[in-house]
């Protein structure tokens, strides 16, 4: 992935920065330039919490080459207390024991390595909450 | 008062037992367990590296420090497994915690004492008034060559410390560094695995350097082993810290809270810093702690810490190190470990 694209997404990928429309209060992750609800262009930044609940998931057993070391792994959609949802990888778990409704914690992880020469991509993944 | 205002650790959940490694290489597991006092070690998954461990450890330190990350004026990450050869780990850590852009940043290297180097520099910057808070991280995803003795110990983990002058948890009373050119362990550029000098890594390297730093700082502080409640040494295996403690006159009870290596392995730059986090987790106000790191090449940084009343207010604001160490573990076999640590050659 081209470094400029990764760099532009650091606020949401690294710090979980979401946006609230100042006009109608609609929340967005990732943030948007124009509110889809009211057309508002002014947003307030806020940080998503580090815990969420699994809404749904699927298990990838035949992975793309760059993710083959992680297979089998789960991709899930999780929901935060404020109603926002986020998609990402669920890791550090037995994929056969995953359940909808389980609590997860967000952890900072490497997402892509781009072989041994490319820029490293980091973001948050979900791990089962245990403390 | 200058010292630690927040501390935290992070450890991968995966573990491999000494027996599992010994089985593959036809080695005698009981003699490794008895000789090195190692039972198992942490294993990083492919999506865990020094940067991710450092970010999670720092977030735990921030939970305890309860400060605005924008007030952190320096970020230093010490490691010998920085993911990039050219590009700092610290910039990603600073960006992830929101300490950018008004921040000084550098990556440190000095084998296993890169983390304590960062701590030493941060204390100096805070004491001089150059910055309000400074972040020091020691962390590694260390590598041992397949079949080498290091493979039984090289593990992963990180510890982070935020240094400051207000609301200090542990005040630094004295520091001392001891350093000579002693080539006991090295990795040349472009080499994947480090090499070492076998028994030479013990005496004269580790034992001479650690006792040199410990004796010098105790002389400077006019203290002896019995004056300390706890002591934390660098722990390349389970045996060395016990032996050096005995040489210096410490009892096992003083060492045990920070003696993590039998069930964690050697987290290199994270080793003695993580031992300090585990010791702070159980320390009481007024307790005195001696910490002595060791980095091959070779040097030791020694610190005398005095725990303050604030420890009781912040201790439980983040997860304790022993909880990360002992609970919710996932054990892997050697094949999975080899895959996770990129020890298997694959077609491009």
């Amino acid at each position: 992935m081209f470094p400029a694209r990764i760099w532009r997404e650091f606020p949401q990928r690294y710090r979980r920065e979401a946006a609230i429309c100042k006009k109608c209060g609609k929340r967005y992750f990732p943030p948007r330039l124009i509110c889809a609800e009211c057309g508002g262009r002014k947003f307030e930044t806020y940080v998503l919490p580090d815990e969420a609940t699994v809404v749904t998931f699927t298990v990838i057993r035949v992975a793309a080459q760059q993710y083959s070391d992680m297979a089998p792994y789960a991709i899930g959609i999780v929901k935060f207390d404020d109603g926002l949802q986020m998609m990402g990888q669920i890791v550090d778990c037995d994929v056969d024991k995953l359940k909808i409704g389980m609590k997860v914690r967000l952890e900072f992880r490497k997402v892509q390595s781009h072989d041994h020469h490319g820029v490293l991509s980091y973001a948050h993944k979900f791990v089962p909450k245990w403390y | 008062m200058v010292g630690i205002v927040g501390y935290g650790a992070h450890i991968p959940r995966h573990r491999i037992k000494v027996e599992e490694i010994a089985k593959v290489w036809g080695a005698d597991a009981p003699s490794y367990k008895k000789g090195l006092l190692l039972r198992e070690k942490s294993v990083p998954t492919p999506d865990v590296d020094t940067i991710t461990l450092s970010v999670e450890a720092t977030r735990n330190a921030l939970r305890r420090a309860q400060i605005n990350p924008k007030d952190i004026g320096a970020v230093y990450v010490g490691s010998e497994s920085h993911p990039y050869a050219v590009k700092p780990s610290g910039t990603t850590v600073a960006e992830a915690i929101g300490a950018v852009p008004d921040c000084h940043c550098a990556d440190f290297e000095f084998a296993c004492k890169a983390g304590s180097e960062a701590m030493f520099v941060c204390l100096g910057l805070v004491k001089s008034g150059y910055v309000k808070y400074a972040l020091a991280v020691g962390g590694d995803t260390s590598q041992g060559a397949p079949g080498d003795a290091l493979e039984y110990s090289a593990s992963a983990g990180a510890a982070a410390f935020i240094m400051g002058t207000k609301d200090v948890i542990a005040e630094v009373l004295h520091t001392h560094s001891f350093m000579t050119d002693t080539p006991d362990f090295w990795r040349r550029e472009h080499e994947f695995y480090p090499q070492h000098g076998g028994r030479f890594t013990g005496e004269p390297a580790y034992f001479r350097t650690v006792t040199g730093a410990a004796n010098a700082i105790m002389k400077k502080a006019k203290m002896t082993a019995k004056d300390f409640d706890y002591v934390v040494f660098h722990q390349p295996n389970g045996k060395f810290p016990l032996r050096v403690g005995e040489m210096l006159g410490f009892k096992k009870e003083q060492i045990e809270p920070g003696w993590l290596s039998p069930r964690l392995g050697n987290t290199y730059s994270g080793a003695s810093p993580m031992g300090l986090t585990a010791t702070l987790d159980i320390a009481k106000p007024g307790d005195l702690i001696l910490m002595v790191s060791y980095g091959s090449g070779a040097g030791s940084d020694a610190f005398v810490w005095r725990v303050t009343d604030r420890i009781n207010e912040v201790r439980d604001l983040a997860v304790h190190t022993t909880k990360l160490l002992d609970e919710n573990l996932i054990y892997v076999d050697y094949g999975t470990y080899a895959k996770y640590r990129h020890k298997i050659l694959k077609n491009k």
Side-chain angles (χ1 to χ4, degrees):
Chain A
M1 193 185 289
F2 194 64
R5 183 181 162 193
I6 298 172
W7 179 79
R8 278 195 295 272
E9 294 172 351
F10 280 173
Q12 55 262 37
R13 283 176 174 265
Y14 282 17
R15 298 191 294 273
R16 309 189 303 265
E17 287 186 7
I20 306 175
C21 175
K22 283 189 171 179
K23 198 170 162 190
C24 72
K26 175 88 175 166
R27 292 164 183 253
Y28 291 100
F29 184 87
R32 301 176 59 127
L33 292 175
I34 300 169
C35 178
E37 201 77 13
C38 71
R41 289 169 181 262
K42 290 186 176 171
F43 293 87
E44 192 175 322
T45 298
Y46 76 107
V47 176
L48 289 172
D50 55 12
E51 290 179 14
T53 305
V54 174
V55 175
T56 187
F57 67 90
T58 186
V59 176
I60 309 291
R61 296 182 189 276
V62 182
Q65 192 184 1
Q66 66 265 41
Y67 303 115
S68 60
D69 285 354
M70 300 289 288
Y73 61 87
I75 295 288
I77 294 173
V78 303
K79 191 174 191 173
F80 297 94
D81 283 347
D82 66 2
L84 264 187
Q85 298 191 139
M86 183 196 281
M87 188 169 78
Q89 192 176 344
I90 308 173
V91 294
D92 289 5
C93 60
D94 181 343
V95 292
D96 296 324
K97 290 181 180 168
L98 281 178
K99 286 193 171 19
I100 289 169
M102 72 187 288
K103 298 282 184 193
V104 291
R105 182 184 288 273
L106 276 69
E107 274 193 15
F108 196 74
R109 296 289 178 101
K110 189 162 63 185
V111 177
Q112 284 198 63
S113 300
H114 307 284
D115 293 328
H116 292 291
H117 52 267
V119 69
L120 299 170
S121 311
Y122 296 92
H124 288 85
K125 295 185 180 181
F126 314 127
V127 299
K129 187 186 170 194
W130 61 278
Y131 67 84
Chain B
M1 186 187 292
V2 175
I4 298 164
V5 300
Y7 70 93
H10 192 67
I11 307 170
R13 290 171 193 83
H14 294 73
R15 300 284 184 277
I16 187 165
K17 288 185 178 291
V18 164
E19 289 87 344
E20 183 64 25
I21 301 171
K23 183 177 73 182
V24 172
W25 300 111
D28 183 37
S31 57
Y32 267 99
K33 290 175 85 171
K34 192 180 168 192
L36 297 175
L37 296 180
L38 292 170
R39 296 202 302 270
E40 59 196 47
K41 67 169 191 171
S42 64
V43 177
T45 44
D47 58 353
V48 168
D49 63 17
T50 293
I51 289 176
T52 66
L53 292 168
S54 299
V55 169
E56 288 299 324
T58 301
R59 285 177 174 166
N60 283 329
L62 280 166
R63 288 182 180 106
R64 289 191 172 102
Q66 298 177 292
I67 61 164
N68 183 346
K70 291 276 181 206
D71 289 334
I72 296 176
V75 171
Y76 301 128
V77 178
S79 179
E80 61 176 64
S81 50
H82 291 292
Y84 287 100
V86 178
K87 189 205 165 298
S89 301
T91 51
T92 307
V93 175
E95 187 81 43
I97 63 168
V100 292
D102 302 311
C103 185
H104 188 255
C105 178
D107 283 359
F108 287 5
E109 287 188 16
F110 193 143
C112 296
K113 88 170 184 81
S116 67
E117 278 182 327
M119 294 169 72
F120 185 88
V121 173
C122 284
L123 288 167
L125 286 175
V126 168
K127 189 174 182 180
S128 68
Y130 272 18
V131 299
K132 188 174 180 183
Y133 297 107
L135 168 66
V137 185
D140 260 305
T141 53
S142 52
Q143 285 279 16
D148 188 88
L150 282 178
E151 195 179 28
Y152 294 87
S153 61
S155 65
F161 298 89
I162 298 166
M163 307 300 184
T165 56
K166 193 169 165 254
D167 293 332
V168 168
I169 295 166
E171 179 188 10
V172 65
L173 301 181
H174 300 279
T175 64
H176 188 85
S177 289
F178 183 102
M179 189 274 294
T180 60
D181 188 4
T182 308
D184 62 320
F185 172 100
W186 64 92
R187 180 166 60 82
R188 295 280 300 275
E189 186 137 51
H190 308 304
E191 288 295 309
F192 196 58
Y193 298 114
Q195 297 193 42
H196 55 85
R199 288 181 182 277
F200 183 74
T201 61
E203 193 63 68
Y206 177 89
F207 292 105
R208 175 187 173 220
T209 309
V210 171
T211 56
N215 283 323
I217 199 169
M218 286 196 283
K219 187 178 176 188
K220 196 185 272 185
K222 297 184 175 61
M223 297 166 91
T224 63
K226 65 178 186 318
D227 295 318
F228 291 94
D229 297 281
Y230 302 107
V231 63
V232 181
F233 295 112
H234 175 57
Q235 33 207 296
N237 50 53
K239 187 180 178 182
F240 278 21
L242 287 188
R243 192 169 148 209
V244 83
E246 193 180 351
M247 289 164 69
L248 290 162
F250 289 94
K251 292 179 179 167
K252 197 176 177 188
E253 305 85 77
Q254 292 167 287
I255 303 170
E256 263 176 336
W259 184 50
L260 311 179
S261 52
R263 53 203 205 275
L264 174 62
N266 179 8
T267 53
Y268 286 41
S269 303
S272 54
M274 291 180 74
L276 180 61
T277 65
T279 306
L280 288 170
D281 282 342
I282 54 100
K284 300 182 299 301
D287 281 352
L288 288 166
I289 303 169
L290 173 65
M291 170 188 164
V292 187
S293 67
Y294 173 74
S296 289
S300 283
D301 297 321
F303 306 82
V304 174
W305 307 99
R306 180 165 57 205
V307 180
T308 73
D309 294 343
R310 185 161 167 77
I311 190 73
N312 291 333
E313 294 170 44
V314 307
R315 190 196 324 263
D316 297 331
L317 296 180
V319 63
H320 288 201
T321 302
T322 49
K323 193 172 180 69
L324 293 170
L325 188 56
D326 297 330
E327 297 180 22
N328 192 37
L329 305 180
I330 303 168
Y331 286 91
V332 296
D333 57 20
Y334 192 88
T336 306
Y337 162 76
K339 182 176 80 165
Y340 283 177
R341 301 304 290 135
H342 307 297
K343 291 173 189 274
I344 300 171
L345 282 178
K346 297 194 295 186
N347 276 337
K348 294 265 182 190

